[in-house]
Amino acid sequence: MGEEESVMGKDEETWNQKKQTLIEEVAEKLIGGDLDAKIQAARDIRKLVRKSPVKTRSKFAAAGVIQPLVSMLLSPNVDARESSLLALLNLAVRNERNKVMIVTFGAIPPLVELLNFQNSSLRELAAAAILTLSAAAPNKPTIAASGAAPLLVHLLSSGTVQGRVDAVTALHNLCTGSEDPTLILNARAVPPLINLLRECKKYSKFAEKTTALLEILSKTEDGRLAISNLEGGILTLVETVEDGSLVSTEHAVGALLTLCQSCRNKYRELILKEGAIPGLLRLTAEGTTEAQERARTLLDLLRDSPPEKPLTSSVLERIVYDFAKRVDGADKAAETAKRLLQDMVHRSMELSLSQMQLRAGSCTPSDIPSM
């Protein structure tokens, strides 16, 4: 090692020692100081963690700061609650061990209490904290059993844009980790979720999580009734089938299919009335494998005659013809059906060509290792 490298190594070691001393000093204030000292220590933790490498979060946890920060969440002092909440949020980011420790030390009950708080800022910070903590699989059962979900659902219609995004993502985290997600969500979530899906970009990540939640809700009778009784409920799902990303279209067609399978006589006309056929036809050619299968099954259920399985080419042609007859009348049905089928084939060929080009372009000279 050269002289310059040796000096740099000593400087880094000195800096690390100073930082460790600072961490211990802040932890000492948090553990043994009065309320003002604790609040300042929590603010210092947030500031230091935000500007430091990930391992600094682990060093603070090792210094024993998590338990006193969780205790501050119960303080009657609003500043104490806010400063501790922000510190815990920053300690949890990108650190699974800290996430689990925060929940183990009992953070969820006070966070759920804060979701009921009149202070909207604290309420949304609590939602952000639950979102962050719910990303760790060991935490999901505790959060799901805490009663947080109904309060997150309430936030879907009363929060800021960021608050709603956090609430949807937290609910999605909880549902994806549950054996029976219908026990987490209830039908009250349908109206705000439909409204959010109607307002957002159908191909966004947010739409993907929202449609996933709606598909879960479609698996319960109350959820299906809420979707079909809400003005624009089925229409919004149909529009997502037409304009959504691969993921959101798969969930949207899944929700529509579940409705129709639960009671074909009840939901068939409701889905047809919203003009679902063109989007479903396109999806049979362009969706994911699962979405294509769901679209074909739903198209079969939407036919005038009793459904047949599997959906063969001749059956698909008949579905297209029936739809064309409803739109343009019997005189023009054959011509319209032919045009729709040609369009499906054309779109399918375009998609196949696009996928081939993507695969070909994925192996560029720079990807080939040198010998």
Side-chain angles (χ1 to χ4, degrees), residues 167-361:
V168 165
T169 309
L171 288 167
H172 184 264
N173 282 350
L174 294 175
C175 288
T176 51
S178 171
E179 291 183 5
D180 187 0
T182 60
L183 297 176
I184 296 171
L185 282 178
N186 62 46
R188 291 180 182 176
V190 168
L193 286 172
I194 289 289
N195 288 335
L196 290 169
L197 183 58
R198 185 186 294 128
E199 294 168 5
C200 76
K201 294 175 179 176
K202 301 295 188 294
Y203 51 81
S204 64
K205 292 290 183 184
F206 181 75
E208 293 175 0
K209 293 180 175 66
T210 305
T211 48
L213 295 176
L214 286 167
E215 185 182 0
I216 290 167
L217 285 161
S218 73
K219 299 181 188 302
T220 67
E221 180 60 24
D222 287 345
R224 290 190 289 271
L225 287 173
I227 291 170
S228 59
N229 290 339
L230 183 69
E231 184 177 357
I234 291 177
L235 175 61
T236 302
L237 290 172
V238 169
E239 290 173 343
T240 306
V241 169
E242 293 174 348
D243 302 326
S245 68
L246 289 174
V247 174
S248 56
T249 53
E250 184 176 309
H251 288 309
V253 73
L256 292 171
L257 176 59
T258 303
L259 261 66
C260 205
Q261 285 176 325
S262 71
C263 183
R264 180 174 181 261
N265 291 337
K266 178 177 182 178
Y267 291 108
R268 177 179 169 275
E269 283 298 326
L270 292 175
I271 295 171
L272 282 171
K273 187 178 72 173
E274 300 300 357
I277 297 292
L280 292 172
L281 290 172
R282 181 184 61 79
L283 203 55
T284 63
E286 296 182 8
T288 63
T289 303
E290 180 66 23
Q292 288 181 23
E293 182 59 32
R294 290 176 175 184
R296 291 190 187 101
T297 305
L298 181 53
L299 282 167
D300 202 18
L301 288 169
L302 295 176
R303 296 172 59 224
D304 287 334
S305 55
E308 300 174 10
K309 292 184 180 180
L311 188 63
T312 62
S313 297
S314 60
V315 174
L316 185 58
E317 288 173 10
R318 184 65 196 175
I319 293 170
V320 177
Y321 179 81
D322 289 343
F323 170 69
K325 187 166 67 173
R326 291 167 66 98
V327 174
D328 287 344
D331 293 343
K332 297 182 179 179
E335 182 183 343
T336 302
K338 181 179 179 181
R339 188 172 66 252
L340 283 170
L341 287 166
Q342 286 175 339
D343 184 54
M344 283 177 60
V345 172
H346 179 66
R347 284 175 175 272
S348 182
M349 289 175 64
E350 282 186 336
L351 182 66
S352 298
L353 180 61
S354 175
Q355 289 174 338
M356 287 172 63
Q357 289 172 337
L358 283 172
R359 284 195 293 268

